[in-house]
Amino acid sequence: MEKFIIRGGKRLVGDVMVSGAKNAAVAILPAVILADAPCTVENLPWIEDVNILCDIFEQLDVRVEQLSERRTMIDPTKMRSYKASFETVSRLRASYYLLGAMLGKFGHAEVALPGGCEIGQRPIDQHLKGLRALGAQIEIERGNIVAHCENGLVGAEVYLDVVSVGATINIMLAAAKAKGLTTIVNAAKEPHIVDVANFLNLSGASIKGAGTDIIRVHGREYLGGCTYQIIPDQIEAGTYMIAAAATRGDVCVRNVIPTHLEAVSAKLMEMGVRVTEGDDGRDFFIRVQADKAPRPVNVKTLPYPGFPTDLQQPIMAMLSVAKGTSVIVENIWEDRFKHVGQLRRMGANINIDNRVAIVEGVKALSGAPIYASDLRAGAALVVAGLMAEGRTELNNVDFIDRGYEAMEKKLSALGADIKRASDGKAMVY
Ligand code: EPU
């Protein structure tokens, strides 16, 4: 286990480049399985979740070749197996996309039940409902999801009972090669859903409506290869925007799509932070400038375009030193407040009642030995450590490596005093 040693109190100043979107990458890689020719994926983020998917590909005879730092060739044409083992799959939430992709390609799939961050019950009933509507027979056997469709999938109308990113993408993947028309009603609208649809369309699929709540997929028999560039990660960008504001810094977050960040920009402005969007001719950027303690605000997490649950934890860290009381309501995940105990160890005054956190701003946080319980809790505690007086030792940073590329290097380049050490302690929650 590794840890970060952070000496807080430094203003972040300078430029930071955002990497490719984790939650797009972990869906587009499985989507490549559907192609009948090699694909080149550009701007893959170098994070642990991507490494795990590449390990799974190796076991499935999908060839991965690094063409250059940001170009990866993936050849699924020799893939014969449709089984993804527990050992690899249990390390990753997004392994459920292998189900839709392998079912779409082979009419069979056997995938261990997914792992990932412990932030709630995380059922996949809507994924299974959608795949069953397309004709798949699905059983859970010894911890594996076993899905078959002897005569191939057939398009259908699927109404999602909850707005689910994962179910929307999984059904889109399975439907891309199904016979006829699939309609997904009450679909999620996150930017990575549009990104996966764009990738599939460039490979020859016919998907319309991605980014709205009704998506129509006309199945195609053949999907050729393509070269596709993954969108920038709006959650990584939002994390650096919050870190910049929390340290009362002045940071240009580069390689962003500003519309994907409107909820975050609006909330930061409500807190008294100066947020400006710009275009340097090559990339869009967002500049964040702050020089005083934030004003308290209320935050409710919602599906896109609402405020993202994946930034609820980092923004809470910042609000722990606001001038007054903030109320945060977590509407997506029922157990995404595990970072609160750690923030309290740093002096924060936060009370939890079910899905509501009441954050009474304190004057300052103080550094402490703390643990990350999941990916975004880790990001929140980094923000807290950067703001705090003194030394913070953040353990369990393996969670952060799952979704942030070289976080400590990017922060160091902005002037943070943050170092990685290898003698961290693991804590199981
Ligand atoms: N849900 C169901 N049934 C389902 C699927 C979801 O009841 O079959 C519920 C969930 O329990 C949750 C809500 O619907 O309450 C939304 O879940 P969703 O399916 O949208 O989440 P997900 O696809 O499992 C993705 C991201 C998460 C992010 C959520 C919400 C990936 C790999 N993960 O999860 O990202 O929080 O959407 O935006 O795309 C993260 O990056 O840290 C992370 C957890």
Side-chain angles (χ1 to χ4, degrees):
M1 272 291 169
E2 298 194 311
K3 65 182 176 188
F4 284 160
I5 307 292
I6 306 169
R7 284 173 211 281
K10 298 259 191 316
R11 286 182 77 221
L12 298 187
V13 178
D15 291 22
V16 62
M17 276 298 274
V18 172
S19 301
K22 160 186 166 281
N23 288 340
V26 298
I28 287 174
L29 288 177
V32 169
I33 288 177
L34 288 163
D36 299 292
C39 297
T40 299
V41 181
E42 297 179 346
N43 204 27
L44 268 180
W46 289 117
I47 54 174
E48 198 46 30
D49 275 10
V50 166
N51 293 337
I52 294 171
L53 271 168
C54 291
D55 287 351
I56 295 175
F57 277 177
E58 203 174 308
Q59 290 174 11
L60 296 173
D61 291 324
V62 175
R63 195 161 71 85
V64 179
E65 190 185 326
Q66 205 53 40
L67 301 177
S68 63
E69 200 195 338
R70 295 288 163 186
R71 300 185 85 222
T72 310
M73 193 281 299
I74 302 158
D75 181 357
T77 55
K78 304 272 181 322
M79 181 178 176
R80 300 286 171 261
S81 173
Y82 51 83
K83 293 185 186 177
S85 73
F86 173 77
E87 287 69 33
T88 39
V89 161
S90 57
R91 291 155 62 201
L92 182 74
R93 184 74 201 160
S95 52
Y96 49 46
Y97 294 137
L98 294 169
L99 190 66
M102 296 204 287
L103 200 55
K105 186 176 180 101
F106 298 114
H108 299 282
E110 214 174 301
V111 180
L113 282 161
C117 286
E118 300 288 340
I119 51 180
Q121 292 184 43
R122 310 196 79 170
I124 55 165
D125 56 303
Q126 299 302 304
H127 301 233
L128 302 187
K129 169 176 140 170
L131 299 177
R132 284 189 175 116
L134 300 187
Q137 289 174 340
I138 304 178
E139 306 293 339
I140 308 293
E141 291 174 10
R142 294 180 296 280
N144 294 321
I145 310 165
V146 182
H148 295 285
C149 187
E150 300 302 336
N151 300 319
L153 299 171
V154 179
E157 177 163 316
V158 182
Y159 178 88
L160 294 180
D161 300 332
V162 291
V163 178
S164 161
V165 172
T168 302
I169 293 179
N170 228 345
I171 298 164
M172 234 163 57
L173 294 177
K177 287 185 133 183
K179 286 190 200 92
L181 171 67
T182 298
T183 307
I184 309 171
V185 185
N186 199 25
K189 297 182 272 199
E190 267 66 5
H192 33 291
I193 289 168
V194 180
D195 213 32
V196 177
N198 286 343
F199 164 78
L200 287 168
N201 282 341
L202 206 60
S203 303
S206 170
I207 302 176
K208 294 194 177 127
T212 75
D213 52 14
I214 299 189
I215 299 178
R216 290 194 174 83
V217 185
H218 285 272
R220 294 276 184 262
E221 242 174 68
Y222 177 86
L223 297 185
C226 70
T227 295
Y228 189 77
Q229 189 172 83
I230 290 179
I231 51 167
D233 193 314
Q234 86 266 26
I235 304 300
E236 189 199 17
T239 304
Y240 291 123
M241 288 167 68
I242 291 168
T247 59
R248 299 174 203 178
D250 181 354
V251 171
C252 261
V253 182
R254 296 194 174 273
N255 184 33
V256 296
I257 300 176
T259 47
H260 293 171
L261 285 151
E262 271 168 6
V264 185
S265 297
K267 207 37 86 176
L268 287 175
M269 288 193 276
E270 209 181 315
M271 292 160 85
V273 177
R274 190 172 149 79
V275 180
T276 40
E277 295 173 2
D279 175 2
D280 63 11
R282 216 179 61 143
D283 298 315
F284 292 107
F285 63 84
I286 295 183
R287 184 173 179 191
V288 175
Q289 296 164 281
D291 55 11
K292 51 184 178 297
R295 285 198 288 266
V297 292
N298 297 334
V299 177
K300 284 186 185 162
T301 64
L302 289 170
Y304 186 84
F307 190 89
T309 169
D310 296 343
L311 290 173
Q312 172 264 111
Q313 294 156 297
I315 208 158
M316 190 189 295
M318 178 175 175
L319 287 170
S320 68
V321 297
K323 283 189 162 166
T325 306
S326 305
V327 178
I328 300 181
V329 184
E330 172 54 63
N331 287 309
I332 309 294
W333 299 114
E334 64 273 21
D335 198 10
R336 213 173 200 183
F337 285 147
K338 285 185 181 146
H339 56 295
V340 169
Q342 306 300 305
L343 288 175
R344 285 194 194 122
R345 290 166 64 91
M346 302 177 78
N349 182 358
I350 303 169
N351 287 300
I352 304 291
D353 182 8
N354 197 13
R355 286 179 179 238
V356 180
I358 313 285
V359 187
E360 305 278 358
V362 295
K363 209 153 184 288
L365 299 180
S366 59
I370 46 172
Y371 292 83
S373 55
D374 55 76
L375 168 60
R376 308 300 173 188
L381 296 173
V382 168
V383 171
L386 295 172
M387 291 190 301
E389 290 163 358
R391 182 180 189 272
T392 292
E393 182 184 310
L394 172 56
N395 293 279
N396 282 7
V397 300
D398 307 51
F399 281 117
I400 295 175
D401 296 335
R402 283 194 34 218
Y404 289 89
E405 180 178 312
M407 184 188 243
E408 77 280 19
K409 292 194 182 117
K410 291 189 185 188
L411 287 171
S412 295
L414 293 173
D417 186 344
I418 177 169
K419 290 192 177 56
R420 182 181 288 262
S422 57
D423 58 340
K425 299 177 195 76
M427 180 157 163
V428 179
Y429 280 77

